[in-house]
Amino acid sequence: MMVSITDRIAIVLPVFKHSSLVAEALSSVIGQTEFEKVELVIVDDGCPYYQTNMQCNPLAHIYSNVHYIRQANKGLSAARNTGIDFVLSNLPQCQAIYFLDADNRLLPFAVQQMQHMLRVNEGSDWFYPDINMFGLPWYGDYSGPFRPLTECLMNICEAGSLVRIHVFASNLRFDEKMRDGYEDWEFWISALSAGFRGMHFPASGFLYRKRAESMLSDSTRLHSKILDYIEKKHRWLKNPVTMVQMEHIDTARYATIKSVNGTVELASDPSCGEHYDINTYTELLLNSFYKPNWYNCGFIIIFMSEEVKQVLTSHGLLNFTYWTIERRLTTANFACVSLKETNRKELFFGDSAVSEGNNI
């Protein structure tokens, strides 16, 4: 059967000290229903166990679409980069790369699903799965629209993701200085910096093996150290303006219900939000209870007339008022703001007031 040149997917599989587990990973790839559309690139990262070579190397002689590379040990990031460079240099027919760790598996329909995602979602640059763990069972649901802000605050994109080849053609690579973990998280942050965007990959067929002694356990213990490295490399992660701009787009903080006309404005910057009619917002609010990953209805709901908003805006107090309400809500269930016309401009919050010397 002829396979289209645009139909092939490279699976990069690094191996180091997983000789007893890699056989399962290899079998899961070779057992794909569309294995003929796969280029399997095995990167032996200087594994000291001879069983690794004995299991991996012969496959390259049996299958024309299996490639075996052995190198001196350089770490997981370097092993993945070796696989990426091999694909770019030798397999121009591949449209995407999937990263499979040696202790994980793929269900038989996984490659077929990858082809489908690439075909129907041309605007997305990478596709990340839900986490279906075996060994120590657990399931993580990461469905819903991709939000860059969420990825910046916590990693929702597993290394076992499908990435279009043009991402790597832009010279994006895994950071080889990172040998304590979280290198995949830093990679996705770098991808965001370069303008690329991810998408949830439902029913991907990815199976994640959870072991007590896994590398991720060490990463958790070194969390602060690794996070400090990432934030120093990507200093925009600590820039309040940048982060609020991302929040404003993806997960607006305030929902302002106009008490007269019943429209609702969603925004993190209350001076410029997206408008909804009250019925649409009510539906959004209800949906957010059942599927919070999918729907954002605003973290704080504010009832305000357009006239009050205009008064606050004209005196430069709109943002200040919202921020003060938010601070008060850390110790109360609701807050009430009163405007009083005097010879001074006053905002009353409960039994206290914030005053300014200008006349209204």
Side-chain angles (χ1 to χ4, degrees), residues 289-306:
F289 284 100
Y290 298 104
K291 300 181 74 174
N293 289 2
W294 289 78
Y295 301 97
N296 172 54
C297 65
F299 176 63
I300 297 171
I301 298 177
I302 296 175
F303 294 87
M304 177 185 294
S305 69
E306 184 62 33

Side-chain angles (χ1 to χ4, degrees), residues 44-63:
D44 182 342
D45 190 37
C47 182
Y49 303 145
Y50 71 92
Q51 294 96 331
T52 296
N53 183 279
M54 290 180 62
Q55 291 185 91
C56 299
N57 195 14
L59 294 176
H61 300 283
I62 298 172
Y63 301 100

Side-chain angles (χ1 to χ4, degrees), residues 29 58 102 112 114 123 155 158 174 182 188 205 207 210 221 311:
V29 176
Q112 186 177 7
M114 294 178 200
N155 187 21
E158 222 289 317
F174 290 89
Y182 291 2
W188 305 125
L207 297 177
K210 179 65 174 177
R221 287 188 286 268
V311 169

Side-chain angles (χ1 to χ4, degrees), residues 186-201:
E186 192 280 327
F187 177 83
W188 305 125
I189 292 173
S190 294
L192 288 175
S193 298
F196 299 115
R197 293 296 180 266
M199 182 177 185
H200 175 243
F201 189 168

